[in-house]
Amino acid sequence: MDERTLVDTAKKMVAPGRGILAADESTGTIKKRFDSISVESTEENRRAYRDLLFTTPGAEEYISGAILFEETLYQNTSDGTPFAKLLADRDIVPGIKVDKGAKPLAGAEGETVTEGLDGLRERLAEYHEAGARFAKWRAVITIGEGLPTNYAIATNAHALARYAALCQEAGIVPIVEPEVLMDADNTIEVCEAVTRDVLNATFAELAKQRVLLEGMVLKPNMVISGKQCAVQADVETVANATLRTLKRCVPSAVPGIAFLSGGQSDELATKHLDAMNKQGSAPWSLTFSYGRALQAAALKAWGGNSANTEVAQKAFFHRAKLNGLAATGRYSEAMEEAA
Ligand code: 13P
């Protein structure tokens, strides 16, 4: 394991004022996103859309890394440059989603375990060859009646650590993503308790499986009220609960935490990140690894029409910039109107 390279890459991914673009929607997920704008999900449309995002002028000021789906890693820009090369040339670290998705967990009704460990060592070698320098694996934890079970938490934590250890062996920085879903009717207190259990289990496994904490990035959910909960915690409450939980559970050797947006609106995801960074007391860098909250406006502006490329890129740049500012606590709501 080349520790130096891992540490340098991880630091770069969470450098102050920059964050990660999650553009690694699987074929099924990108179809859903394209359905919402009535665009057919062909390989060329997927390529054209990612091309638009990755070639956005100035994006590298606020974007440190981009997570790609496997198909995208082997695609090129319109002028034939491999996306991984384009990104690296722009000082944006290319990454790759390597899990095979969350599948029903045997003996645990309503819960999942993320698959994709078999053959992962060989795949990682190929992805590294193609230019990927970090990877992502997403575990999904569901809150519900009697859920999550300790069984599901432990099984997912174990798989996350196995993935992370294999990545580091291959010289690839693992993004460790244990996502507690935010779409149920639970209170923020329940989200806090579950997130704490999940993070504790995850870091216990990472330690057992000898993962170098300095050479990874954590991608957690924020501690937040469930979408269906009648009482929605405000921005300060979310920022405080999230920071408190992370400080209790995440060793300071981890260089950075890059949040997922998980269905929060664009603006709310930015406000939460900004509120945490305005407190200025965290031992790790706190940034974003947003999918929907970075892309929603750009996707809509594009609408599948290449004539809209420039407006779509402007929309993406605007979101990237405001999140970049939020990553150092310099965002203000007035900046939204400047769009
Ligand atoms: P969202 O920010 O849309 O939740 O996506 C981030 C991601 O990569 C989830 O795995």
Side-chain angles (χ1 to χ4, degrees), residues 177-244:
E177 180 180 9
E179 174 174 4
V180 177
L181 294 179
M182 52 181 77
D183 47 16
D185 63 359
N186 59 278
T187 61
I188 187 171
E189 287 80 13
V190 170
C191 180
E192 179 164 357
V194 172
T195 302
R196 185 191 58 220
D197 288 351
V198 167
L199 290 173
N200 283 340
T202 301
F203 279 96
E205 279 298 337
L206 291 170
K208 269 191 223 163
Q209 299 192 41
R210 306 172 185 180
V211 171
L212 178 74
L213 297 181
E214 290 85 348
M216 63 161 274
V217 170
L218 179 70
K219 175 166 176 167
N221 53 285
M222 293 179 192
V223 173
I224 204 168
S225 315
K227 268 222 158 124
Q228 312 298 327
C229 183
V231 187
Q232 292 290 310
D234 63 17
V235 171
E236 271 323 294
T237 308
V238 168
N240 289 337
T242 304
L243 271 178
R244 176 169 64 230

Side-chain angles (χ1 to χ4, degrees), residues 20-25 29 33 49 53 63 67 136 177 219 258-266 269 288-299 316 319 323:
I20 297 164
L21 164 65
D24 59 324
E25 298 83 4
T29 304
R33 305 279 186 265
Y49 174 62
L53 294 175
I63 301 293
I67 320 175
K136 183 191 103 171
E177 180 180 9
K219 175 166 176 167
F259 293 101
L260 60 94
S261 62
Q264 302 176 58
S265 74
D266 302 1
F288 57 92
S289 175
Y290 294 160
R292 284 162 284 182
L294 268 176
Q295 295 183 51
L299 183 71
F316 171 57
R319 226 46 253 161
N323 282 307

